[in-house]
Amino acid sequence: MYVDLFSCLMVNRLWHDNSSRIIWRKACFEDTKDDLDTFLKFASALQGLPQLVSTPTTTNTYYPSRSSSISSVSSSDMIKTPIEYLDDSEYLISDKIISPESLFAEIEHRTTIQQTPTTTVAAAAAAAASASAASTTTLTTDDDDSSSSYFIDPRISSYRNALRVLSIRKIKEKSVNDPLSSIGQNATNLQHLDIYICDHFSNEALYPFLAHQSLTYLSLAGCHNISDQAILKVAEYCKRLEHLDLRACGLVSDLSLSAIALNCPRLRHLNVGRIRDRDKVSVKSIALIAQHTQAAVLGLAGCDVDDTCMQLLAKYRTTGLERVSVNSCFKISNQTVYAYIQYCPNLSVFEMKECHKVNDWEAVAELVERKVLLTLCDQQSRACSDWARLRGKTLDVKAPLK
């Protein structure tokens, strides 16, 4: 479809504007060499820079640093967090990164310039010259001591405003953070951000995306450098968040998840499944998620949750709960199954692989009769089949599609 739209860009301004909104709405990049080069060019284009970056190992950078004028910002004044979690100030933004507050000022300044009724590029340049250093349009390279000024094409603003979905998957380059930060600063209306298994993606690269307060979908699955510091900022700036995927983010704990619960009431999907660091996610935060959000899908695989936690979740979410994963949650027993039979008539998926304390197969059979999709390990499947065979029954246990 997009190929057919390219020619529309050349017809006139109206056709260009309408077709560019569609073409620039969604951008996806995979872990291939061609996609990496395209991603770097995309970041340059969105910032309005000359597209001189062609390889991830180039020595010249065209993502100007704004770190010199940034001060520390505390989130304790703005995030509602249980008092027992406020023991330290680890979630201060470092003075070496750009803060959301500074980005707000820059965005407001850019909007003012764009709305100024100037008719020449020179007039726009005069307005930009009087702005703060954070909004400068001067470009400097390492191999040239001279500076060259450039002016952003007015069409770039429409491209920035059009971008709604950004997906980056399995890009392992260490240089990924600079272009991502650049995109974050300029993607003013981005709603859906999916960064999947990018080993070097950092808290600092995430912050610019938060400043616009437009995200409703955030997936950082497999980004193991993301910590509580970043998720506390998500809670502060993304009040309309509906989807949060933090699988394998071992540095995220009850501290920031509690803040998410208290500040993101629209949250419907939360996945904090993990293999390690299970003790960092417990009933402390999940109980708050149950009480204060609209959680319908919860991924808790490998977390330190027990029957008390799951019973609270069932009682608070009742008919709103649709999918639950407690794979490898070894404290889960029959009491959890009973609670979901009693309180959650709309449950459609229940994953309980390796939960060996669940052994009441009659209760499990009731879930099967309700057409609930179940995930069992081989040992559980055999035990369930043996129970049914001894009673002359046949249980058609179906697993959810992945």
Side-chain angles (χ1 to χ4, degrees):
M1 180 183 70
Y2 289 175
V3 175
D4 295 335
L5 285 175
F6 288 151
S7 59
C8 298
L9 295 169
M10 308 302 177
V11 177
N12 57 37
R13 178 170 293 182
L14 179 61
W15 282 53
H16 169 275
D17 290 348
N18 288 330
S19 55
S20 65
R21 289 192 193 101
I22 300 173
I23 294 174
W24 283 79
R25 183 176 181 84
K26 183 176 182 180
C28 301
F29 303 95
E30 300 283 347
D31 60 334
T32 65
K33 179 62 168 63
D34 288 343
D35 262 17
L36 179 59
D37 288 343
T38 303
F39 165 65
L40 295 171
K41 293 176 182 178
F42 173 82
S44 294
L46 202 66
Q47 193 173 357
L49 296 178
Q51 295 183 14
L52 301 178
V53 179
S54 59
T55 66
T57 57
T58 180
T59 57
N60 294 335
T61 178
Y62 297 97
Y63 306 98
S65 172
R66 296 179 175 87
S67 61
S68 59
S69 62
I70 306 306
S71 59
S72 296
V73 180
S74 171
S75 55
S76 60
D77 294 334
M78 301 185 68
I79 301 181
K80 295 181 292 183
T81 307
I83 190 67
E84 63 267 26
Y85 295 136
L86 300 180
D87 297 332
D88 51 55
S89 58
E90 290 181 352
Y91 46 88
L92 297 180
I93 284 188
S94 167
D95 60 1
K96 295 183 179 180
I97 60 174
I98 189 163
S99 71
E101 287 79 1
S102 297
L103 285 178
F104 287 136
E106 182 172 348
I107 291 165
E108 182 178 355
H109 168 70
R110 289 181 181 181
T111 303
T112 301
I113 292 178
Q114 292 167 4
Q115 294 175 348
T116 302
T118 56
T119 57
T120 66
V121 173
S130 62
S132 64
S135 297
T136 184
T137 57
T138 300
L139 176 69
T140 303
T141 64
D142 293 339
D143 57 353
D144 188 353
D145 294 334
S146 62
S147 297
S148 58
S149 297
Y150 66 93
F151 303 102
I152 296 176
D153 189 315
R155 291 171 296 183
I156 297 298
S157 177
S158 67
Y159 301 156
R160 293 170 177 170
N161 292 334
L163 187 61
R164 295 292 189 277
V165 178
L166 177 64
S167 177
I168 311 292
R169 305 183 69 82
K170 297 184 179 180
I171 292 183
K172 306 292 187 179
E173 297 291 333
K174 294 182 179 180
S175 59
V176 71
N177 286 322
D178 285 341
L180 273 174
S181 295
S182 171
I183 294 172
Q185 292 172 27
N186 293 294
T188 54
N189 292 319
L190 191 72
Q191 298 173 353
H192 179 124
L193 178 62
D194 178 13
I195 310 293
Y196 181 70
I197 312 184
C198 293
D199 292 342
H200 299 284
F201 185 65
S202 65
N203 290 348
E204 291 77 11
L206 175 63
Y207 293 139
F209 290 98
L210 309 182
H212 310 294
Q213 304 185 68
S214 58
L215 288 180
T216 60
Y217 181 110
L218 178 60
S219 177
L220 303 172
C223 298
H224 55 82
N225 288 323
I226 295 298
S227 69
D228 279 332
Q229 178 182 350
I231 305 307
L232 282 165
K233 286 299 173 184
V234 172
E236 182 175 344
Y237 290 101
C238 301
K239 306 290 187 181
R240 296 182 294 168
L241 195 67
E242 297 177 5
H243 182 113
L244 181 60
D245 190 343
L246 298 171
R247 283 173 292 167
C249 295
L251 299 179
V252 174
S253 73
D254 284 329
L255 170 63
S256 59
L257 293 177
S258 296
I260 290 290
L262 296 173
N263 289 272
C264 303
R266 298 183 184 182
L267 189 70
R268 286 183 49 80
H269 181 118
L270 175 66
N271 195 333
V272 288
R274 54 194 54 208
I275 298 176
R276 295 178 291 274
D277 303 300
R278 64 172 58 243
D279 59 308
K280 290 187 177 181
V281 179
S282 69
V283 67
K284 292 180 181 179
S285 60
I286 301 306
L288 292 174
I289 292 290
Q291 295 175 55
H292 297 284
T293 73
Q294 300 177 26
V297 179
L298 271 174
L300 304 173
C303 296
D304 188 26
V305 295
D306 55 17
D307 288 331
T308 300
C309 177
M310 301 311 295
Q311 288 168 342
L312 284 172
L313 183 61
K315 290 177 182 178
Y316 278 109
R317 294 304 304 133
T318 60
T319 58
L321 201 58
E322 300 171 5
R323 300 171 64 99
V324 176
S325 172
V326 289
N327 291 334
S328 300
C329 294
F330 306 123
K331 297 180 181 179
I332 299 299
S333 74
N334 296 325
Q335 300 303 316
T336 291
V337 179
Y338 301 152
Y340 285 86
I341 291 174
Q342 180 178 356
Y343 295 108
C344 303
N346 294 326
L347 188 70
S348 61
V349 174
F350 188 68
E351 300 185 19
M352 58 175 198
K353 184 185 295 184
E354 305 295 345
C355 296
H356 295 295
K357 288 186 177 181
V358 176
N359 55 15
D360 187 340
W361 302 113
E362 185 173 0
V364 173
E366 185 169 346
L367 290 177
V368 173
E369 291 172 3
R370 291 187 183 184
K371 308 299 182 184
V372 176
L373 302 178
L374 300 176
T375 300
L376 307 175
C377 66
D378 291 341
Q379 180 179 338
Q380 291 170 308
S381 295
R382 286 194 298 269
C384 184
S385 298
D386 291 345
W387 175 89
R389 186 177 62 256
L390 289 173
R391 287 158 181 78
K393 296 182 179 182
T394 301
L395 285 183
D396 186 17
V397 179
K398 293 182 179 180
L401 297 175
K402 294 297 184 180

